Amino acid sequence: MKARLSAIAARRAALALALGAALAAGVGPAPALAQNGAPGFGELAEEKLPAVVNISTTQSMDDGPIPGLPEIPGLPEMPDLPEGTPFDEFFREYFGDPEGAPPRSMTALGSGFIIDPEGYIVTNNHVIAGADEITVILQDDTRLPAELIGHDDRTDLALLKVEPASPLPALDWGDSAAARVGEWVIAIGNPFGLGGSVTAGIISAKTRNINAGPYDDFIQTDAAINRGNSGGPLFNTDGEVIGVNTAIFSPSGGSVGIGFAVPSSLAQEVIADLRDDGEVERGWLGVTVQPVTDEIAEALGLESGQGALVASVSEDSPAAEAGVRAGDVILRLNGRPIEDGRALARAVADAPVDSEAMLTLWREGEEMEVEVVIALLGEEEAEAAAEAAPAPPLPDTTSTLGMALAELTPELRARFSLADEIEGVVVTDVTPGSPAMEGDIRPGDVVTRVDQETVETPETVTEAVEAAREAGRGTILLLRERAGAAAFVALPLDGE
């Protein structure tokens, strides 16, 4: 027993000597992060909370039934009830007061953050959309009326201005491009109207497209973001704003760990434009594009799927004046690589209006450059582009073409409701189960180009198919038009 105790004492003495040596060498205990597994954000939250505000909006409502209650056809008008009866007040609220009572209003709550001590505040456009009155509530419960300086629907951002009695605490923008997936982030906002609340998580992903707009480039985070957090800041661990919390994905309406923020690299530019003149000017090129799939890349002779494939060019647009054609692949804009259509939309939008830009195109197997003058994107151009947007990429196809082609005749134009200005050959039939049918080729589609060649007769297509096979190619590229929208289709040539 004594020997055993002596051995234990010896081990303790050895450990003490080792610890003393480590301390003498400057090696201390492990940092708190490694011991407890997570950092603390108390100091950061305490410092930044005063610059995050609650935003309350009021919107007048037209006379009529209370929102959320069903409208009942044939419901009678306001009953003539004696004033003061039990149901008099209820019916006046539901049907409206015929004697001119004040109109009802509804309120909404959101978040925002101060970017200038003079009272400039960033929030989401959807937080203040349609508001008659906007009130900013500071952390000390001070309520200030706010003026809307400007808003941008396409990025869901807005800029407000209040007139404070003294300078306000303000936040600094950070570099969202430098943020990495897996890094800690902190969100502050007004979830469910509860007031300033702090949540933490990590960056789950970057450059997310959630189909909210043409310039989607969201930061995804698992920091809890709920209704009412919209417009609040997303911080990095240096206390810099790297995103504006904007949207959540949630079947339940509450946080499930999937939230999205507009990155500061985009938000900072938009807010600067709104502050300068109340609106955002964006460039316009005048093309509709689609992704370059591997099959399309092979048909065009590209090494890999890259760039934005031009499906159509608007008349009198900058692209048309520069000679851009359907079938061109836009690879670069002013040397900036274009990975896909979203990258092209952002690059064109960022280009100064009326500036000259250099487009690098892939056409007929080689690169070429054209100079284009960027125009201003207006509402009409944006709507036209949306209406003319090509169909989504077609599914992969195999085997044979499997379609019957015919020259356009008045009878076929009438049968398939084709406009007189459409030229090419019409698909009159598609073999059931064929690759053409699987590739979404339908009767009534018009083939207008084949391998960059204008189609005038069905023989133009069949001869191009044979020439491609003899050249040992695996696919052929068709431009088909349907319901006013053009899209390229790559079909395989490994069988008839």
Side-chain angles (χ1 to χ4, degrees):
M1 183 67 176
K2 290 182 179 179
R4 184 177 178 185
L5 291 174
S6 298
I8 293 174
R11 285 198 296 271
R12 287 178 176 174
L15 287 172
L17 288 173
L19 179 59
L23 291 173
V27 179
L33 176 60
Q35 289 180 352
N36 58 30
F41 302 111
E43 291 184 6
L44 188 151
E46 184 177 356
E47 178 185 355
K48 303 303 177 183
L49 267 167
V52 181
V53 302
N54 297 340
I55 295 177
S56 174
T57 64
T58 303
Q59 183 176 358
S60 297
M61 296 164 51
D62 296 332
D63 290 339
I66 299 172
L69 293 180
E71 295 185 7
I72 305 174
L75 196 68
E77 295 183 359
M78 169 72 180
D80 186 13
L81 296 172
E83 186 174 352
T85 58
F87 294 103
D88 178 52
E89 183 176 349
F90 168 78
F91 279 106
R92 287 184 183 278
E93 181 180 2
Y94 184 75
F95 289 94
D97 192 338
E99 298 180 2
R104 297 188 305 273
S105 62
M106 64 178 181
T107 60
L109 295 172
S111 304
F113 57 96
I114 304 165
I115 60 169
D116 189 305
E118 295 182 358
Y120 286 94
I121 296 170
V122 174
T123 187
N124 281 145
N125 177 61
H126 76 260
V127 170
I128 52 84
D132 297 316
E133 296 180 1
I134 305 172
T135 301
V136 168
I137 307 170
L138 305 182
Q139 190 186 25
D140 61 3
D141 288 332
T142 299
R143 304 174 72 91
L144 299 172
E147 173 192 359
L148 177 60
I149 299 299
H151 65 96
D152 181 49
D153 296 344
R154 295 184 179 92
T155 55
D156 196 17
L157 293 171
L159 181 65
L160 308 177
K161 178 69 168 66
V162 297
E163 298 296 337
S166 59
L168 299 174
L171 303 177
D172 295 321
W173 292 105
D175 183 7
S176 59
R180 298 181 301 170
V181 173
E183 291 184 341
W184 285 97
V185 287
I186 305 96
I188 301 180
N190 180 28
F192 300 110
L194 295 174
S197 299
V198 181
T199 56
I202 63 169
I203 296 175
S204 305
K206 295 179 65 178
T207 66
R208 281 293 197 224
N209 176 17
I210 61 174
N211 297 316
Y215 310 113
D216 281 13
D217 192 28
F218 288 99
I219 296 172
Q220 180 183 327
T221 178
D222 66 354
I225 295 175
N226 289 287
R227 293 179 180 177
N229 275 103
S230 292
L234 187 72
F235 295 99
N236 59 21
T237 52
D238 292 328
E240 300 169 327
V241 178
I242 61 168
V244 182
N245 300 322
T246 298
I248 62 172
F249 174 80
S250 174
S252 64
S255 174
V256 294
I258 303 178
F260 302 96
V262 178
S264 60
S265 58
L266 173 60
Q268 193 171 0
E269 295 179 358
V270 171
I271 295 302
D273 285 346
L274 294 177
R275 185 168 179 173
D276 287 342
D277 51 25
E279 61 182 5
V280 180
E281 287 190 349
R282 292 190 173 90
W284 178 60
L285 192 58
V287 296
T288 56
V289 297
Q290 66 182 82
V292 179
T293 64
D294 291 339
E295 292 78 16
I296 289 177
E298 180 184 354
L300 291 173
L302 284 167
E303 293 183 359
S304 61
Q306 57 180 312
L309 177 60
V310 178
S312 62
V313 181
S314 301
E315 293 184 7
D316 301 323
S317 66
E321 294 178 2
V324 178
R325 306 189 312 216
D328 290 343
V329 177
I330 300 176
L331 301 176
R332 291 181 292 278
L333 176 64
N334 285 335
R336 176 175 171 178
I338 303 299
E339 293 85 8
D340 52 27
R342 284 197 301 139
L344 176 64
R346 290 194 297 269
V348 173
D350 292 343
V353 175
D354 296 329
S355 66
E356 294 182 354
M358 190 65 67
L359 281 178
T360 303
L361 307 176
W362 181 264
R363 178 185 294 174
E364 297 178 357
E366 58 184 22
E367 286 190 11
M368 62 175 296
E369 291 187 336
V370 298
E371 195 173 80
V372 61
V373 178
I374 302 296
L376 175 65
L377 175 67
E379 293 298 328
E380 293 183 3
E381 288 80 7
E383 292 175 3
E387 292 175 358
L394 300 175
D396 293 340
T397 57
T398 55
S399 185
T400 176
L401 300 183
M403 57 185 175
L405 303 171
E407 293 186 9
L408 280 169
T409 63
E411 293 78 16
L412 288 176
R413 289 184 187 275
R415 175 183 172 185
F416 294 112
S417 302
L418 301 174
D420 293 338
E421 60 269 17
I422 295 177
E423 298 295 338
V425 295
V426 63
V427 178
T428 60
D429 190 27
V430 177
T431 303
S434 71
M437 176 170 284
E438 294 176 3
D440 198 29
I441 299 295
R442 307 175 190 173
D445 289 350
V446 177
V447 180
T448 60
R449 296 174 70 88
V450 55
D451 276 356
Q452 312 302 316
E453 182 180 353
T454 300
V455 172
E456 297 179 352
T457 66
E459 288 72 27
T460 305
V461 179
T462 57
E463 290 171 4
V465 168
E466 292 304 319
R469 284 184 176 142
E470 292 176 2
R473 289 169 47 197
T475 58
I476 193 167
L477 193 64
L478 305 179
L479 178 61
R480 66 112 173 97
E481 186 159 342
R482 177 188 300 161
F488 284 94
V489 184
L491 296 179
L493 301 174
D494 57 354
E496 187 60 51

